[in-house]
Amino acid sequence: MKTIDELLAEGVTGKRVFVRADLNVPLDGTTITDDGRIRAVLPTVKALAEAGARVVVASHLGRPKGAPDPAFSLGPAAARLGELLGAEVAFATDTVGESAQAVVAGLADGRVAVIENLRFNAGETAKDDAERAAFADRLAALADVYVGDGFGAVHRKHASVFDLPGKLPHYAGHLIATEVGVLKKLTDDVQRPYAVALGGSKVSDKLAVIDQLLGKADRILIGGGMAFTFLKAKGYEVGSSLLQEDQIPAVTEYLERAEKLGVELVLPVDVVVSPAFPDLKAKAASEHTAVDADRMPEGQMGLDIGPKTGELYAGKLADAATVFWNGPMGVFEHPDYAEGTKAVAQALVESDGFTVVGGGDSAAAVRTLGFDETAFGHISTGGGASLEYLEGKTLPGLAALED
């Protein structure tokens, strides 16, 4: 895989460089609530612009249905990119039409433009190879070189991620090179003890990665909504907590396999419960209490790991040489149910090992709860991509960057 360093050494002055970024930021109307993904692509965009390239940045945002939708416009992201760069960023109001063509044609050396949401064109996400390739051809007409730097999308077989690199000289940007290097440390060159903390709502989202990690990790800590399927598999009452009954057989098999392999698969010893799910917008105090995990009352909903579990998990992470965390331990968006996620995040901050926050809600939690991002070894920009890599899958966007 060629990297941007090789491209810069070859020279980019005057060249139109298409940067497939991941500007899929959360929005409250037109206000960006977390600009982490924009900041993540800055090193690549800045390096290219300073070297004299005419930089064309492209991305998706949300899931529009193959047609323009103002709610998913990249306009706010383009404006924020300009603020972070300290330079004006031109914005095209379409993807490959008259506006995009005019904006790109008007770029001077060292300047940056953003084209509108790629998913406003149905060809971006088309299942039909020919339709995707046709859209990729139109994107290729806007550039001389391709740089892939949208790690959060590399697990998608989309036109700008998979088809376009084959139509232009292609290189991996700084972010993708960093992300792949980190993931290799979690798979090929692991320093032990290797501890993994997995949370989030659905156990079905994590089954494949647990299957892989049972052969690699020394400890796997389970939290979040997915924990209740594990607790149910052990015969515990889980009240009205999130439960995937159909996954109990798989979870039971993993518990048995972990024991045979000598892998610590650690479950909550206590949980924070409430009669109802909280109002996340109001964030008003709610009725809640911590109970032992094997003594959950009927009619109560588990919304976080309890304080004893937070302490237990911190201890299990303390001496780990490598830590991977993906998924919050509870409903961290509400202050009453954020303590478990805080406990895991704080354990990573205090760790002397190599710590990786696996993107998605985990990365959002780190920022929402006020942690210093530099206190972690790495915060990934792609939760889904990270998990699929750890599952051993071939990621289309990475495969397309290979020579």
Side-chain angles (χ1 to χ4, degrees):
M1 185 184 294
K2 290 184 178 178
T3 69
I4 187 175
D5 290 333
E6 294 169 87
L7 173 60
L8 292 170
E10 294 166 9
V12 292
T13 302
K15 289 184 179 179
R16 299 170 303 163
V17 181
F18 187 102
V19 177
R20 198 341 177 154
D22 180 7
L23 308 181
N24 186 27
V25 292
L27 293 170
D28 182 1
T30 58
T31 301
I32 296 169
T33 57
D34 181 355
D35 67 357
R37 285 178 169 164
I38 301 175
R39 287 185 284 112
V41 79
L42 271 181
T44 290
V45 174
K46 199 175 239 183
L48 289 167
E50 289 176 353
R54 303 177 183 188
V55 187
V56 182
V57 180
S59 176
H60 70 286
L61 191 152
R63 296 188 177 182
K65 305 195 181 297
D69 183 338
F72 298 106
S73 175
L74 278 175
R80 180 58 180 152
L81 178 61
E83 291 171 0
L84 293 168
L85 287 170
E88 183 182 353
V89 168
F91 180 63
T93 56
D94 58 27
T95 56
V96 290
E98 291 182 4
S99 178
Q101 292 170 34
V103 165
V104 173
L107 276 179
D109 294 356
R111 307 301 291 184
V112 179
V114 174
I115 62 174
E116 187 53 285
N117 192 336
L118 291 163
R119 292 185 184 174
F120 285 2
N121 190 303
E124 169 68 0
T125 59
K127 301 293 185 187
D128 182 75
D129 292 348
E131 187 178 354
R132 271 200 334 274
F135 182 50
D137 283 335
R138 297 184 71 187
L139 291 171
L142 299 174
D144 305 303
V145 181
Y146 177 93
V147 172
D149 215 31
F151 181 73
V154 294
H155 58 315
R156 306 295 187 192
K157 193 177 181 181
H158 291 169
S160 66
V161 176
F162 178 72
D163 301 87
L164 182 56
K167 300 177 183 296
L168 295 168
H170 47 271
Y171 303 80
H174 289 309
L175 175 61
I176 279 187
T178 298
E179 294 271 15
V180 171
V182 166
L183 288 168
K184 285 183 176 177
K185 288 185 178 181
L186 298 178
T187 52
D188 302 333
D189 185 26
V190 181
Q191 300 298 306
R192 298 187 180 279
Y194 179 17
V196 176
L198 295 175
S201 57
K202 294 181 178 180
V203 69
S204 55
D205 293 340
K206 302 291 197 304
L207 283 179
V209 76
I210 294 172
D211 184 62
Q212 287 291 316
L213 288 169
L214 280 173
K216 295 184 173 72
D218 299 299
R219 302 168 195 150
I220 302 175
L221 319 179
I222 303 294
M226 62 184 282
F228 297 101
T229 302
F230 279 88
L231 294 173
K232 185 71 172 180
K234 289 180 70 70
Y236 297 169
E237 169 66 47
V238 297
S240 59
S241 306
L242 185 64
L243 174 65
Q244 289 186 284
E245 292 263 13
D246 60 324
Q247 302 299 332
I248 289 176
V251 163
T252 301
E253 191 270 326
Y254 287 168
L255 288 166
E256 293 170 352
R257 183 143 56 100
E259 187 173 358
K260 288 177 183 176
L261 292 170
V263 176
E264 286 188 77
L265 207 163
V266 191
L267 303 181
V269 294
D270 64 339
V271 293
V272 179
V273 300
S274 175
F277 196 84
D279 182 346
L280 297 183
K281 289 188 177 179
K283 294 189 179 178
S286 64
E287 181 185 338
H288 64 282
T289 186
V291 299
D292 288 345
D294 59 353
R295 287 181 170 79
M296 272 191 68
E298 290 185 19
Q300 293 285 310
M301 178 183 297
L303 297 170
D304 193 14
I305 59 172
K308 289 188 287 189
T309 304
E311 187 175 340
L312 170 68
Y313 284 10
K316 295 291 184 183
L317 298 171
D319 68 339
T322 304
V323 181
F324 174 71
W325 169 36
N326 180 279
M329 296 291 109
V331 186
F332 74 91
E333 299 91 341
H334 193 285
D336 289 343
Y337 311 105
E339 292 304 314
T341 301
K342 282 183 185 176
V344 169
Q346 186 62 40
L348 267 68
V349 168
E350 294 175 1
S351 172
D352 292 328
F354 177 60
T355 58
V356 179
V357 179
D361 286 340
S362 311
V366 163
R367 299 182 183 109
T368 299
L369 299 175
F371 286 91
D372 179 359
E373 293 179 46
T374 64
F376 302 89
H378 179 69
I379 299 179
S380 179
T381 57
S386 295
L387 287 178
E388 290 199 14
Y389 189 101
L390 293 179
E391 288 168 19
K393 291 183 178 178
T394 296
L395 306 188
L398 296 184
L401 292 175
E402 298 288 350
D403 293 320

